[in-house]
């Protein structure tokens, strides 16, 4: 892999500044340049304001930690071109105008060092036009690297090489973007819209036109063209609102200019009069007055309204779309498109057209159906790519339906008759090629997903909510499989079994799965059911078993490593805290959030945060400033109190490190597909001469700390910043964190702090205020302020 240490980004718009921020997140030094704004005294005004916007964005869509902005040096294209000589990769992200880009390339070529790589973030211009008339040496170092917005979150990077691009330069960027930037890299041919937008824009346009033709309401169209078919819940119209309706004609204009006249997009494209009027009136989506959806205030409430595609009038969005086709999503994709209702008709019209179009584009846009599927999954967040969807429908069923509608079959589907587009053989997944043969799909070196492990294998042990897998090389993997990986008694039981099995047959254990989230915490539904039945012994038993599970993980005679990605909330966070090490995806969001439902962490979260924070040489920050200044254990206790009482959730793995949920030596990985491999490697490193940690002894102030924290809580209540039940929960938390009836002369064991957690939890779960919070969370997904 190329030794790329410094990157330059030319153009500080939304994409340019986003790319700069993402590169800084990856630990790279970044030079950000743009034009000098006419009439502005500060010659770096545009780039400095761009970084300010990235820092101020809420939620943060650029920087994973504010400190990363220090890695970006702002400059301008008049004074600072000479600094390009220090850059290894130069990314152009200026206006989508050929003459502007080519002028910038001439300036880059005059200033850059020999062998530096140059790329364009263009989404529409072909590489052969970009390179027309430029020196052969420059063309050899040039390629297209098309990032998706926002670069921090969107994994897809489409790469396009020209006829003169050096193979070693192209391979270097592919590898670097994968490992260092965390991208899902897909090679595309030099065709309009490349892969994802070529198919995605067609799908969106077809979705709009078919909704108008069929007369299906906007909210119904999105309901069926969302989760039931494996597409994000925004569907078509929600996505238009998200990206901006006014972009539709701009993107279409570029596509119409470059696509052949017989392309299906050219044939179907039209701009409905309603859309033209919406754009003219400022209804361009979320960035405007509204779009296909809009929010209107009604007193203190906000009402979501939807546009009528026929009349242009808005109406209140129904709470739920009642369509058999939406419910059919649980039975699979074919059940959705076979539904006779209007949702089924819409789903078939849009998906059949989109899937047929994708098949037509092989081999024009790519020779690989797997690359096309990967582009749609990482660029548009589809759960399944178009060719995977065809397999789910059944290739023969799909082709017969197309034939019945007198739609000609693309060559790739002719080759797949009587077959599947993907097949599994001897634990190896393969994809059909243009010639009809199958080609094995080999993951990049260092990439590992649990799905790869599962191919053709059976788990070591399994129950309804968890599975234990052999990851190879003497490492076992414990996978949570419940809904959103919520923790129940089956998972706790599997932890108990895993500890015994790994001790006997393996070197170490990795906790993790391929799911979007590590775990959203304990199963609240089961807890509420038990509470409503006054089954307090059952709840107490779950706390006891949860504490036993976390302590078994922490003090196992082998290393336990958490493979962390997405949310790790409440009990999920406690599992992470009790692992001996963590390999975390940069987009990890752990936090102890139990107070949101009127509880406190009781599987060792309070205890473990005290252990980690009391061990700090210096504790900075904190809401309760007077307590932070008292010295001794109080700064650490007040810091932990604030973090738990406010249900803080880290916005990235870097922030989790600041919060002491991750240790300083825990590893952060940029690419989601490499986290499990990194966790396994860390486990094997630790397994050599492994010794479990020494149990901690905690010296806590007892009553003095409890009183101080309680006074602070009462102050917040008087100021209207804490509700009556907040006070109840916070004072229970204060008792645990202060050590109960202890004082600084006593040393509390971890088990004694666990007992305090258990006691406080059981007191709170019996209160009406807490049960109301749990019910509200289960019904709405939002915390109740009572």
């Amino acid at each position: 892999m190329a030794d790329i240490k410094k990157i330059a980004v030319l153009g500080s718009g939304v994409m340019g500044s986003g790319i700069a921020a993402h590169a800084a997140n990856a630990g790279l030094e970044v030079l950000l340049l743009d034009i000098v704004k006419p009439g502005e005294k500060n010659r770096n005004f545009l780039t400095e304001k761009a970084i300010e916007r990235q820092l101020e964005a809420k939620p943060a869509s650029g920087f994973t930690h504010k400190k990363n902005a220090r890695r970006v040096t702002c400059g301008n294209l008049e004074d600072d071109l000479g600094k390009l000589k220090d850059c290894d990769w130069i990314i152009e992200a200026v206006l989508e105008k050929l003459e502007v880009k080519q002028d910038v390339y001439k300036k880059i070529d005059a200033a850059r060092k020999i062998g530096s790589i140059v790329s364009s973030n263009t989404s529409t211009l072909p590489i052969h036009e970009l390179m027309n008339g430029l020196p052969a040496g420059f063309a050899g170092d040039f390629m297209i690297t098309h990032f998706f917005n926002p670069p921090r979150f969107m994994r897809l990077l489409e790469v396009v090489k020209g006829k003169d691009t050096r193979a070693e330069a192209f391979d270097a960027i592919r590898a670097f973007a994968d490992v260092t930037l965390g991208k899902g890299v897909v090679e595309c041919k030099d065709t309009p819209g490349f892969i994802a937008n070529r198919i995605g824009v067609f799908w969106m346009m077809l979705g709009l036109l078919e909704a108008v033709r069929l007369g299906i309401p906007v909210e119904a169209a999105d309901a069926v063209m969302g989760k039931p078919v494996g597409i994000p819940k925004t569907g078509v119209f929600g996505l238009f609102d998200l990206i901006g309706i006014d972009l539709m004609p701009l993107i279409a204009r570029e596509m119409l200019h470059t696509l052949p006249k017989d392309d299906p997009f050219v044939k179907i494209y039209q701009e409905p009069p309603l859309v033209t009027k919406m754009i003219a009136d400022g209804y361009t989506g979320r960035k405007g007055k509204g779009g296909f959806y809009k929010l209107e205030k009604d007193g203190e409430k906000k009402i979501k309204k939807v546009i009528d595609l026929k009349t242009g009038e808005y109406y209140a969005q129904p709470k739920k779309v009642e369509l058999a086709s939406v419910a059919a999503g649980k039975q699979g994709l074919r059940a959705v498109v076979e539904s006779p209702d209007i949702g089924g008709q819409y789903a078939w019209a849009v998906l059949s057209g989109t899937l047929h179009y994708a098949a037509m584009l092989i081999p024009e846009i790519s020779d690989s159906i797997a690359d096309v599927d990967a582009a749609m999954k990482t660029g548009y967040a589809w759960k399944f790519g178009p060719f995977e969807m065809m397999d789910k429908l059944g290739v023969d069923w799909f082709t017969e339906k197309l034939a019945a509608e007198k739609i000609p079959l693309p060559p790739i589907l002719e080759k797949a008759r009587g077959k599947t587009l993907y097949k599994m053989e001897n634990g190896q997944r393969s994809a059909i090629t243009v010639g009809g043969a199958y080609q094995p799909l080999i993951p990049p070196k260092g990439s590992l997903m649990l799905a790869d492990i599962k191919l053709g294998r059976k788990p070591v042990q399994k129950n309804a909510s968890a599975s234990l897998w052999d990851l190879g090389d003497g490492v076992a993997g414990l996978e949570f499989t419940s809904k959103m990986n919520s923790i129940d008694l089956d998972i706790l039981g599997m932890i108990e079994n895993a500890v015994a099995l790994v001790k006997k047959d393996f070197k170490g254990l990795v906790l993790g799965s391929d799911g979007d989230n590590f775990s959203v915490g304990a199963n609240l539904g089961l807890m509420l059911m038990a509470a409503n039945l006054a089954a307090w012994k059952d709840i107490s038993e779950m706390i006891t078993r949860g504490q036993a599970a976390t302590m078994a993980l922490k003090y196992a005679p082998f290393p336990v490593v958490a493979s962390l990605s997405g949310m790790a909330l409440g009990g999920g966070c406690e599992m992470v805290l009790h692992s001996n090490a963590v390999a975390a995806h940069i987009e990890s969001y752990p936090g102890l959030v139990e107070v949101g439902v009127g509880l406190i962490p009781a599987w060792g979260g309070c205890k473990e945060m005290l252990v980690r924070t009391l061990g700090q040489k210096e504790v900075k920050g904190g809401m309760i400033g007077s307590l932070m200044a008292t010295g001794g254990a109080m700064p650490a206790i007040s810091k932990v109190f604030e973090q738990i009482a406010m249900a803080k959730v880290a916005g990235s793995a870097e922030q989790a490190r600041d919060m002491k949920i991750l240790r300083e030596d825990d590893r952060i990985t940029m690419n989601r597909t490499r986290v499990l491999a990194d966790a396994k490697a860390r486990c094997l490193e630790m397994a050599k001469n492994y010794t479990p940690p020494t149990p901690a002894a905690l010296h806590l102030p007892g009553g003095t700390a409890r009183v101080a924290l309680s006074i602070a809580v009462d102050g917040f209540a008087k100021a209207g910043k804490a509700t009556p039940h907040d006070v109840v929960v916070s004072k229970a938390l204060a008792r645990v964190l202060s050590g109960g009836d202890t004082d600084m002369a006593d040393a509390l064991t971890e088990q004694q702090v666990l007992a305090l957690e258990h006691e406080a939890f059981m007191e709170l779960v019996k209160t009406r205020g807490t049960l109301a919070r749990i019910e509200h969370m289960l019904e709405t997904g939002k915390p109740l302020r009572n």
Side-chain angles (χ1 to χ4, degrees):
M1 189 168 68
D3 187 20
I4 297 174
K5 293 180 179 177
K6 188 168 185 176
I7 286 179
V9 181
L10 278 57
S12 63
V14 172
M15 284 304 302
S17 61
I19 294 168
H22 187 67
N25 294 337
L28 300 164
E29 294 298 316
V30 183
L31 174 67
L32 181 63
L33 305 181
D34 209 326
I35 62 169
V36 175
K37 186 177 180 180
E40 179 61 49
K41 290 182 180 179
N42 178 2
R43 294 175 66 80
N44 299 337
F45 175 82
L46 289 177
T47 51
E48 288 177 7
K49 288 299 287 185
I51 294 304
E52 280 180 31
R53 283 193 296 271
Q54 290 289 352
L55 283 168
E56 293 168 359
K58 291 182 180 179
S61 57
F63 292 107
T64 52
H65 196 292
K66 289 185 181 295
K67 68 180 180 184
N68 295 340
R70 296 198 291 266
R71 297 193 182 110
V72 182
T73 300
C74 294
N76 65 76
L77 289 167
E78 293 180 18
D79 304 327
D80 301 299
L81 278 172
K83 295 177 181 178
L84 293 180
K85 70 179 186 299
D86 300 321
C87 299
D88 307 300
W89 180 13
I90 303 164
I91 303 170
E92 168 271 303
V94 301
L95 291 173
E96 283 289 279
K97 291 185 177 180
L98 182 61
E99 63 275 14
V100 173
K101 290 182 183 291
Q102 288 198 322
D103 181 60
V104 168
Y105 298 154
K106 291 171 185 174
K107 293 176 180 177
I108 291 172
D109 201 28
R112 72 188 183 107
K113 64 183 177 183
I114 294 172
S116 61
I117 298 169
V118 184
S119 69
S120 173
N121 185 54
T122 183
S123 59
T124 57
L125 297 172
I127 195 168
H128 64 271
E129 289 187 13
L130 292 173
M131 286 298 93
N132 187 32
L134 291 170
F138 185 81
D141 294 332
F142 186 84
M143 66 195 72
I144 288 172
T145 52
H146 178 218
F147 291 80
F148 276 61
N149 190 36
R152 171 182 169 181
F153 295 117
M154 299 305 292
R155 287 193 57 237
L156 178 60
L157 180 71
E158 293 179 317
V159 292
V160 184
K161 61 185 175 185
K163 62 182 179 63
D164 298 315
T165 306
R166 292 185 292 115
E168 56 269 32
F170 191 67
D171 292 343
I173 291 299
R174 289 192 62 163
F176 182 82
D178 170 3
V179 177
T180 305
L181 298 184
K183 293 298 174 185
V185 183
V186 173
E187 182 176 350
C188 310
K189 294 188 179 181
D190 190 21
T191 57
F194 311 130
I195 294 177
N197 282 341
R198 180 75 174 272
I199 296 170
V201 170
F202 179 88
W203 164 71
M204 291 178 70
M205 194 70 240
L206 188 60
L208 169 61
L209 297 176
E210 287 296 334
V212 172
R213 180 182 71 83
L214 289 166
I216 186 173
V218 164
E219 75 279 5
D222 282 349
V224 75
M225 193 53 61
K227 187 177 179 180
V229 299
I231 286 172
K233 64 181 181 180
T234 50
V236 170
F237 293 97
L239 184 57
F240 269 126
D241 279 1
L242 180 64
I243 64 175
I245 298 169
D246 55 329
L247 285 178
M248 183 201 311
L250 299 177
I251 295 171
R253 193 178 304 137
E254 291 295 335
M255 299 289 276
L256 294 171
H257 172 69
T258 52
L259 287 172
K261 300 304 178 189
D262 61 347
D263 189 272
F265 180 84
V266 178
K267 291 179 179 179
I268 70 161
Y269 180 74
Q270 55 181 286
E271 186 178 305
L274 174 63
V275 171
T276 306
K277 185 176 187 306
M278 288 172 70
I279 295 171
D281 293 344
Y283 288 89
T284 54
R286 296 186 189 182
K287 65 183 179 181
K289 299 176 183 178
F292 293 108
Y293 299 90
K294 72 172 182 175
L295 288 174
E296 282 189 3
K297 282 189 175 181
D298 182 12
E300 294 297 314
K301 295 182 180 179
K302 287 185 178 179
I303 299 175
K304 191 170 186 179
K305 292 196 169 184
V306 194
I307 200 165
D308 186 311
L309 295 174
K310 291 180 181 177
T311 67
E313 300 295 323
Y314 285 91
Y315 57 91
Q317 181 178 347
K319 287 186 177 180
K320 189 176 181 182
V321 173
E322 300 286 353
L323 282 175
S325 49
V326 173
K330 296 177 181 177
Q331 302 166 41
L333 187 60
R334 194 192 294 187
V336 177
V337 299
E338 285 187 320
S339 293
D341 65 12
I342 194 169
Q345 296 171 48
Y346 177 73
W348 170 251
V350 177
L351 286 182
S352 64
T354 303
L355 302 187
H356 178 261
Y357 186 54
M360 275 184 58
L361 295 175
I362 299 290
E364 180 191 341
I365 60 173
S366 176
D367 293 329
S368 166
I369 66 168
D371 279 353
V372 172
D373 281 347
M376 296 311 297
K377 289 190 289 186
T378 55
Y380 277 73
W382 289 10
K383 187 175 182 180
F384 309 105
F387 293 95
E388 290 172 328
M389 285 189 188
M390 287 182 239
D391 264 351
K392 287 191 170 296
L393 292 171
V395 173
D396 286 345
W397 179 89
F398 183 61
T399 55
E400 286 168 12
K401 287 275 287 181
L402 293 178
E405 296 181 13
K406 296 185 170 29
I407 299 172
L409 288 188
I412 192 75
L413 291 183
E414 288 282 9
K415 295 288 186 183
R417 279 180 180 270
K419 304 177 184 178
T420 54
L421 293 159
Y422 291 93
K423 76 171 183 177
M424 191 72 60
E425 197 169 63
N426 300 322
Q428 175 66 60
R429 190 172 186 237
S430 300
I432 202 166
T433 63
V434 177
Y438 286 91
Q439 184 171 352
L441 300 175
I442 310 297
K445 185 179 179 182
S447 174
L448 180 67
M449 298 295 282
L450 205 51
D452 302 325
I453 299 294
K454 294 179 181 180
L455 294 176
R457 303 179 195 175
K458 292 183 179 180
V460 176
Q461 198 171 99
K462 181 179 181 180
N463 65 26
S465 299
S467 299
L468 187 67
W469 296 91
D470 185 343
L471 302 184
D473 302 312
V475 177
L478 178 55
E479 174 193 25
F480 300 168
T481 58
S482 56
K483 185 177 181 180
M484 296 191 77
N485 294 343
S486 61
I487 301 169
D488 56 19
L489 290 173
D490 279 334
I491 287 178
L492 297 180
M494 185 59 77
I495 292 174
E496 294 165 5
N497 294 347
V499 170
L501 279 167
V502 174
K503 182 179 179 180
K504 182 166 60 80
D505 299 328
F506 294 89
K507 299 175 184 176
L509 176 67
V510 170
L511 307 180
S513 73
D514 290 347
D516 292 336
N517 299 301
F518 180 85
S519 171
V520 295
N523 188 319
L524 290 176
L526 292 176
M527 189 173 297
L528 181 62
M529 186 185 301
N532 286 335
L533 295 171
W536 308 120
K537 286 185 179 180
D538 291 343
I539 294 176
S540 179
E541 176 63 18
M542 188 167 185
I543 299 305
T544 299
R545 289 187 64 183
Q547 291 182 347
T550 56
M551 292 294 278
L553 292 173
K554 181 175 180 178
Y555 291 109
F558 50 81
V560 176
V561 180
S563 175
L564 175 61
S565 181
M567 292 187 290
L569 305 179
C573 183
E574 289 172 298
M575 295 293 169
V576 173
L577 285 167
H578 287 82
S579 299
N580 307 118
V582 181
H585 183 222
I586 186 71
E587 299 303 340
S588 294
Y589 318 115
L592 296 169
V593 298
E594 286 86 347
V595 296
V597 289
L599 297 168
I600 66 158
W603 286 346
C606 298
K607 177 263 301 179
E608 201 61 25
M609 289 308 302
L610 283 172
V611 169
R612 295 186 182 198
T613 313
L614 285 166
Q616 284 184 262
K617 290 182 179 178
E618 184 179 9
V619 181
K620 294 182 179 180
M623 179 178 63
I624 312 172
S626 60
L627 300 185
M628 297 297 290
T630 57
M634 207 58 218
I637 292 170
S638 67
K639 185 75 174 178
V640 175
F641 178 82
E642 177 187 334
Q643 193 164 300
I644 297 176
M646 295 184 69
K648 287 188 176 180
V649 176
S652 69
E654 289 173 293
Q655 292 179 27
R657 183 175 279 160
D658 285 352
M659 293 167 66
K660 302 302 170 188
I661 294 173
L662 297 190
R663 306 167 187 82
E664 287 301 318
D665 61 348
D666 283 332
R667 295 176 182 175
I668 297 176
T669 303
M670 292 297 288
N671 196 320
R672 174 67 180 88
T673 67
R674 294 179 174 273
V675 178
L676 183 60
D678 287 351
K680 178 184 171 184
R682 178 74 170 130
C683 192
L684 287 170
E685 287 174 15
M686 295 175 70
K688 300 170 184 175
N689 304 314
Y690 179 73
T691 303
T694 302
L698 293 91
H699 291 270
L700 299 170
T704 55
R706 184 168 68 254
V707 169
L709 291 171
S710 296
I711 291 171
V713 170
D714 289 337
F716 285 121
K718 287 179 182 178
K721 296 179 180 179
T723 67
H725 199 60
D726 287 337
V727 173
V728 172
V729 177
S730 296
K731 289 189 175 180
L733 176 63
R735 176 171 172 78
V736 174
L737 296 180
S738 61
D741 297 325
T742 189
D743 61 42
M744 288 298 290
D746 296 327
L748 292 180
T749 65
E750 291 185 52
Q751 287 297 338
Q752 286 174 306
V753 180
L754 289 173
L756 290 170
E757 289 184 3
H758 193 153
E759 178 186 10
F761 188 98
M762 292 307 300
E763 288 175 358
L764 290 169
V765 79
K766 294 176 183 177
T767 63
R768 185 58 230 165
T770 288
L771 293 179
R773 287 191 177 190
I774 295 174
E775 288 172 355
H776 191 266
M777 178 63 74
L778 291 170
E779 288 176 6
T780 68
K782 298 176 182 178
L784 173 68
R785 303 294 294 162
N786 61 338

